[in-house]
Amino acid sequence: CIRDSLWGVKLTGKQGKNGIGLFAALDEETNLIFPGSQESDSETFDFETDDWVMRYRRDFGETSAVGLLATSREGRGEGSDYYNQVAGIDGLYRFRASDSLRFQLLGSQSRYPDEMALDFEQPLGDIDDSALSLEYVHGSRNWNARVRYEDVGTDFRADMGFLPRVDYSQRLAGLERVWWGDEESWFNRIELGGGWELTRDQSGQLLEQEWEIEAGATGPRQSRYRIEMSTWERFYEGVTFDGLSGHSWVSVQANSDLWLGLWTLAGDDIDYDNVQPGTVLQLEPHLRYNLGLHLRTDFSHSFERLDVDGGRLYEANLSELRMVYQFNIRTFVRGIFQYSWIDRDPSLYIDEVDAEETSLFSQLLFSYKLNPKTVFFLGYSEGREGDQSIDLRQENRTLFLKISYAWIL
């Protein structure tokens, strides 16, 4: 979670079976996530930090590898009492083409300034903890299987990454059967499977348990159809909720230039703001269209509404348009435009909220590849926000320049 860096440098390379990556920066502002087992908080602080990340990987065998990871973030000035350091080992071992095992073991040491720790309900003084992840995957022509175990300690922190949740252990298992069509079949592939997931906090409290069954198929014109149904039990703020929900996905390549897709979700959900049950509906249509050989457009829209006993809690919309014009193999221009608007019923909320909220984000990026090893980027972005009483107003804007160069040893 890094932004507004005064300077930064990144170096990556590989020689033979050895790969290394190094990133270092002086951050002008410090963004921190204060994670928990059920929710997290975040804040931006004015003090500077010295940041670095180091990654080493060693390949062995034909497709296996082991690696080392270390990160450090230390505050300056008012934040001199803050630091976060992480180190660990991870790897991938392939028993054969269809079976693999991934693992990662990390340890962290952290400290927050006393005032920050009290404000965000964090431990005082130095804290340390660990995180473990194990995953076994089997993938063959007719069967797919997956088993995963994760355990993240209460005081584990990884502030150079995105870690919104700690204090939990999770077990997951899934199995899928695959059937293949022939030249006379209406389908290319059919899948049928299911899964189970169990999550508890470090004290043993059940946080979530879910059972899921799913079916899918692929057909002509790269069409894809999938439906999933799940029954779940979730614990939040001292209340246990039960629910049944389902979602589906359908997509098709209508012709060489047009691709269409639709994702839907409906069923039981939780109003986390007011700790009560609700019912949710989500719709996400997608469209991708190529205008000639040079211009590609991607449009998507996300719609979500949540109903509770008292009525409609909120209705949210997010539209996004991405356009890329490829002048030639060296040069392209990209534009991203996102507009969101949210309508709420304040009478259904415990805390005070705005009845309306709007935002607009736009970004323009120019890229030029000088040669196979050197790329030049120039970009501009801005964000605007508004509510029921104030129209969209500019909140921030950024002009950035980046040059990337690769050395081949």
Side-chain angles (χ1 to χ4, degrees):
C1 300
I2 303 173
R3 71 175 187 180
D4 298 328
S5 296
L6 294 175
W7 62 265
V9 61
K10 181 175 73 172
L11 176 65
T12 61
K14 186 172 184 179
Q15 186 174 30
K17 295 186 176 182
N18 301 294
I20 190 169
L22 177 65
F23 172 81
L26 172 59
D27 221 14
E28 186 178 19
E29 291 186 345
T30 302
N31 299 317
L32 292 178
I33 295 176
F34 303 96
S37 61
Q38 299 184 50
E39 59 184 355
S40 63
D41 201 356
S42 63
E43 188 58 79
T44 299
F45 299 94
D46 291 334
F47 62 82
E48 298 176 357
T49 55
D50 294 308
D51 312 322
W52 63 264
V53 178
M54 188 279 291
R55 168 71 171 164
Y56 171 76
R57 170 174 164 152
R58 169 75 178 183
D59 298 334
F60 66 92
E62 295 184 358
T63 56
S64 300
V66 64
L68 299 174
L69 174 69
T71 75
S72 176
R73 200 174 199 190
E74 296 189 19
R76 291 186 173 192
E78 296 180 0
S80 58
D81 289 338
Y82 161 76
Y83 79 93
N84 171 249
Q85 296 174 343
V86 179
I89 184 173
D90 61 88
L92 166 65
Y93 181 72
R94 295 190 183 277
F95 302 94
R96 47 185 175 269
S98 60
D99 297 89
S100 64
L101 175 67
R102 291 182 180 271
F103 73 90
Q104 184 177 64
L105 177 61
L106 300 173
S108 74
Q109 293 184 332
S110 309
R111 181 185 178 92
Y112 300 108
D114 289 347
E115 183 178 355
M116 182 190 300
L118 293 172
D119 289 343
F120 292 92
E121 300 181 352
Q122 299 299 303
L124 295 171
D126 296 326
I127 59 175
D128 60 84
D129 221 318
S130 61
L132 171 67
S133 175
L134 294 169
E135 183 178 49
Y136 171 80
V137 176
H138 170 83
S140 62
R141 178 175 173 80
N142 298 322
W143 290 96
N144 296 312
R146 179 185 179 200
V147 179
R148 187 177 72 195
Y149 173 75
E150 289 186 6
D151 189 283
V152 181
T154 304
D155 293 331
F156 181 80
R157 302 290 186 270
D159 293 342
M160 287 297 292
F162 180 73
L163 184 72
R165 192 179 196 185
V166 297
D167 184 20
Y168 73 92
S169 65
Q170 183 183 77
R171 296 161 178 83
L172 179 150
L175 181 65
E176 181 181 70
R177 176 71 164 93
V178 181
W179 292 269
W180 297 88
D182 53 32
E183 295 181 356
E184 299 180 355
S185 302
W186 63 269
F187 64 91
N188 300 327
R189 168 179 167 141
I190 290 179
E191 309 109 6
L192 179 64
W196 166 79
E197 179 181 325
L198 175 66
T199 307
R200 298 181 182 273
D201 66 18
Q202 295 295 344
S203 70
Q205 171 64 53
L206 175 69
L207 298 178
E208 182 175 9
Q209 182 167 219
E210 182 175 5
W211 292 90
E212 182 180 76
I213 185 170
E214 56 188 26
T218 59
R221 294 185 178 273
Q222 300 182 33
S223 58
R224 176 145 185 89
Y225 316 91
R226 193 164 192 88
I227 184 170
E228 299 181 9
M229 297 294 298
S230 62
T231 177
W232 46 264
E233 177 183 357
R234 296 171 188 163
F235 177 83
Y236 181 72
E237 293 289 337
V239 181
T240 299
F241 299 88
D242 298 302
L244 175 68
S245 59
H247 64 267
S248 64
W249 168 256
V250 57
S251 63
V252 62
Q253 187 76 41
N255 55 48
S256 59
D257 294 321
L258 178 62
W259 176 89
L260 301 169
L262 176 64
W263 185 87
T264 62
L265 181 146
D268 298 317
D269 204 348
I270 301 173
D271 169 15
Y272 291 98
D273 283 342
N274 308 289
V275 193
Q276 61 180 328
T279 56
V280 67
L281 173 65
Q282 295 180 1
L283 301 173
E284 294 186 10
H286 299 257
L287 180 150
R288 182 183 304 135
Y289 188 68
N290 298 322
L291 294 167
L293 297 176
H294 298 278
L295 181 60
R296 171 173 169 171
T297 61
D298 289 271
F299 176 78
S300 63
H301 181 80
S302 298
F303 167 83
E304 179 178 319
R305 74 183 187 200
L306 184 67
D307 295 325
V308 295
D309 286 342
R312 180 147 301 161
L313 186 71
Y314 67 81
E315 189 172 287
N317 291 269
L318 171 64
S319 295
E320 178 180 282
L321 174 65
R322 291 174 177 252
M323 305 180 70
V324 179
Y325 190 87
Q326 192 83 38
F327 292 93
N328 51 52
I329 195 172
R330 293 176 178 266
T331 311
F332 72 82
V333 175
R334 185 191 71 191
I336 300 176
F337 309 93
Q338 294 178 340
Y339 180 65
S340 71
W341 65 100
I342 303 173
D343 295 319
R344 304 184 182 92
D345 185 346
S347 67
L348 300 178
Y349 285 81
I350 296 175
D351 297 325
E352 183 177 350
V353 297
D354 292 327
E356 298 178 7
E357 184 178 319
T358 58
S359 67
L360 175 65
F361 170 81
S362 56
Q363 182 188 84
L364 295 174
L365 176 70
F366 171 80
S367 173
Y368 178 70
K369 183 180 293 185
L370 282 74
N371 55 55
K373 296 185 294 183
T374 307
V375 183
F376 168 85
F377 298 98
L378 177 64
Y380 171 81
S381 66
E382 68 173 34
R384 298 174 179 267
E385 295 183 1
D387 53 36
Q388 67 269 16
S389 58
I390 301 177
D391 293 334
L392 285 171
R393 62 193 182 278
Q394 189 177 73
E395 294 290 329
N396 57 74
R397 58 181 178 178
T398 303
L399 179 66
F400 56 92
L401 171 68
K402 177 181 177 181
I403 298 177
S404 178
Y405 182 80
W407 286 272
I408 300 178
L409 303 177

